């Protein structure tokens, strides 16, 4: 089943769905990266510092989450011709992502060195200039046209658009194809100052926001850079004003603001009692929420599943170190919703009870 959600239907309304005889529930467009996870803060890295090799990138993180949430998911990417391409694609397939449509380029794969702590503080050093992923271009989008016009949803990001001028053009071409064919588009600006400038990121956001069914942004990072505010409500309103159908603003580890066009409410995020690394948590939210929208969840339920999956994901190290099964995600979302309802009930009863007079 494929679907599309619009901002006028409200947080509790069902997604608009359409069936297709063939095609994918979710396509994810972007770059897969070699991830090198340092065992210490990068400024303290010395000769002999240990590191862990894995595979990540916002596209792979989101695709893995969508597949785990039950969606038939494929990765649309360009990978290199170096020796790491084999284990890179093997890892994506192990995560349930179809890699049969991935293209090749005579370039090395992009990589990044990462240091992170349980509180979510992270340091990155990227090696992406002239990477295989940066060769993504409209000609690749043309080769995937049949997939894009039949999919339920496309997930892509500002990171992908920042890789090169041709990647930027490719992101816009793919977004327009999906939107014009009635599919759903989820976009995460994912602003990275080391990849792009504010002016370029804002211009891409302005062009792509009107095509989105769901736009996810972080606050303060994305919000300050792209819409000049550190206030989640103001950020959501400004992103909606750009034309986004619905906006989810992550505002720290404990809450998310959802603005569906009719109301803007905070949704508490389940707390992970044993966090390890927050890398990829936002991508996990995006992939999970998009998958659940396509599979028929209401926007509110899709967001609840997305926040639960993101919370569970921080128990792993690296972007795909912990991809929760949907049974775990659904159980946590239900339990969290039950606790929230119980708390609201207690508060309502407290307000309704008459005060006890002093004696």
């Amino acid at each position: 089943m494929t679907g599309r959600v619009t901002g006028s239907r409200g947080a509790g309304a069902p997604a608009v769905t359409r069936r297709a005889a063939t095609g994918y529930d979710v396509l994810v467009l972007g770059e897969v990266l070699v991830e090198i996870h340092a065992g210490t803060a990068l400024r303290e890295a010395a000769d002999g510092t240990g590191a862990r090799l894995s595979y990540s990138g916002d596209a792979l993180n989101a695709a893995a989450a969508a597949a785990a949430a039950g969606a038939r998911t494929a990765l649309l990417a360009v990978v290199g011709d170096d020796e790491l391409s084999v284990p890179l694609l093997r890892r994506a397939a192990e995560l349930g992502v179809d890699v049969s449509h991935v293209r090749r380029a005579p370039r090395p794969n992009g990589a990044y060195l990462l240091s992170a702590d349980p509180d979510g503080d992270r340091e990155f050093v990227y090696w992406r200039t002239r990477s295989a992923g940066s060769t993504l271009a409209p000609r690749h989008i043309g080769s995937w046209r049949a997939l894009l016009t039949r999919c339920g949803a496309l997930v892509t990001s500002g990171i992908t658009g920042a890789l090169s001028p041709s990647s930027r053009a490719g992101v816009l071409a793919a977004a327009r194809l999906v939107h014009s064919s009635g599919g759903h588009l989820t976009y995460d600006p994912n602003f990275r100052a080391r990849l792009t400038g504010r002016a370029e990121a804002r211009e891409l956001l302005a062009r792509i926001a009107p095509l989105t069914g769901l736009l996810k942004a972080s606050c303060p990072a994305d919000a300050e850079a792209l819409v000049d505010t550190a206030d989640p409500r103001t950020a959501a309103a400004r992103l909606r004003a750009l034309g986004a159908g619905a906006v989810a603003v992550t505002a720290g580890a404990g809450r998310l603001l959802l603005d569906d066009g009719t109301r803007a409410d905070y949704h508490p995020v389940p707390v992970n009692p044993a966090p390890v690394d927050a890398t990829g948590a936002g991508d996990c939210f995006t992939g999970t929420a998009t998958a659940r929208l396509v599979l028929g969840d209401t926007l509110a339920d899709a967001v609840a599943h997305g926040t639960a999956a993101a919370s569970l994901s921080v128990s792993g190290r690296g972007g795909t170190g912990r991809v929760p099964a949907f049974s775990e995600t659904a159980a946590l979302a239900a339990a969290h919703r039950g606790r929230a309802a119980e708390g609201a009930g207690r508060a309502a009863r407290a307000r309704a009870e008459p005060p006890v007079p002093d004696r």
Side-chain angles (χ1 to χ4, degrees), residues 177-202:
L177 265 180
V178 171
H179 179 74
S180 65
S181 64
H184 167 88
L185 173 66
T186 293
Y187 181 71
D188 185 346
N190 237 338
F191 178 73
R192 296 288 186 271
R194 291 188 176 185
L195 291 177
T196 187
R198 290 189 179 192
E200 292 83 0
R202 289 183 184 208

Side-chain angles (χ1 to χ4, degrees), residues 208-227:
I208 209 166
L211 310 176
T212 61
L214 176 63
L215 194 154
K216 177 263 174 190
S218 65
C219 187
D222 291 337
E224 285 185 331
L226 302 178
V227 289

